[in-house]
Structures are given as C-alpha cells and as structure tokens.
Amino acid sequence: MRLSNLADYAVVTMSAAARHCGGGRTSAAELAAETGLPVPTVQKLVSKLSAAGLLRSTRGTGGGLQLARPAAAITVADIVEAVEGPIALTACVEGAECSVEHDCSVRPHWPLVNAALRGALAAIPLTQLARPETLEQEVA
C-alpha cells in the first residue's frame, strides 16, 4: 500500500505547521518554502485540511494559518482521511461494484483489515512527526 502524493504532502505540510505551534501563525507560502512543495499544492492542501477542521485560517493583520487543535490530538489517520476520504484498501468496502462480489469470501473481512490499518495510522500523533529525528532513532 502506498499513500497518494497528495496525502504524503499533506502529512509533510501538517508536520511543518505543527512546528509553528506556540510560535504564532504561518502562511501557505512559508509552509511551501519550508517543505520544498509548490505553493499551489500547499494552497490546495490548506483548503482541504481547513475544511476537515485540522487547520484554521485567519485573515487580516496578524492572520495566517495555525493548527485547529493541539498537534497531539491530530493523527496521521486524520490527515490522510482529510485528503483521501475514509481509509479503505479495497473499493468494494465503500460500495463500489466488484466483478467477483458474489463469490468473494474475503469481502466480509475487509472492514476488520481497514480498521486495523486506520488504527495503526491513528496511533501516530502529529507531535511525533513534527519532532526532528533521524531514521536510526525512529527504527530503534
């Protein structure tokens, strides 16, 4: 399984936004510069993440972007779902047509698999991703 580029970029963008916690507001342009992502991509993500209640945008003097709730209360699952919708490995779980549905003995079990996957992503808070760590530290 692989995240879409947009979901990956959303996690990167939210991690950068979380590093601004307590330090005031930031902007889409600033997040783009920090992450190396194109400004239009970050603007699109900001729109989706704001609509999902993960980012808050304030206009005017002193305005900008900030997390809509504490970083510890935002998970990777929240971010992925804000961009991709419900986490599901197969389309049939979401009601899509399947050519083998009538003979499929696995279909009743996909919700369990999807719940386990969502649970794993929900166990990773944004605070963990916002910390600067090396790969060796994460694996250990």
Side-chain angles (χ1 to χ4, degrees):
M1 187 189 111
R2 173 176 270 163
L3 290 178
S4 71
N5 285 343
L6 203 58
D8 179 16
Y9 298 160
V11 173
V12 170
T13 299
M14 286 294 288
S15 296
R19 287 190 286 276
H20 288 271
C21 278
R25 301 180 198 282
T26 187
S27 68
E30 191 174 354
L31 292 173
E34 290 174 20
T35 60
L37 296 171
V39 173
T41 300
V42 174
Q43 289 171 330
K44 179 178 181 178
L45 289 169
V46 164
S47 176
K48 287 180 172 279
L49 295 164
S50 295
L54 300 180
L55 283 178
R56 183 179 315 126
S57 177
T58 306
R59 295 186 182 272
T61 305
L65 299 168
Q66 65 184 140
L67 297 180
R69 55 187 199 244
I74 298 173
T75 68
V76 173
D78 297 327
I79 299 166
V80 170
E81 288 178 332
V83 174
E84 298 292 328
I87 295 169
L89 291 178
T90 61
C92 68
V93 176
E94 298 175 328
E97 293 293 320
C98 176
S99 62
V100 296
E101 180 177 357
H102 61 285
D103 291 326
C104 183
S105 62
V106 179
R107 185 169 191 237
H109 304 285
W110 279 118
L112 176 67
V113 174
N114 291 334
L117 177 58
R118 190 191 189 288
L121 295 177
I124 305 168
L126 186 56
T127 49
Q128 185 173 345
L129 299 179
R131 289 192 302 247
E133 292 186 14
T134 63
L135 184 58
E136 293 82 25
Q137 290 172 321
E138 292 175 10
V139 173

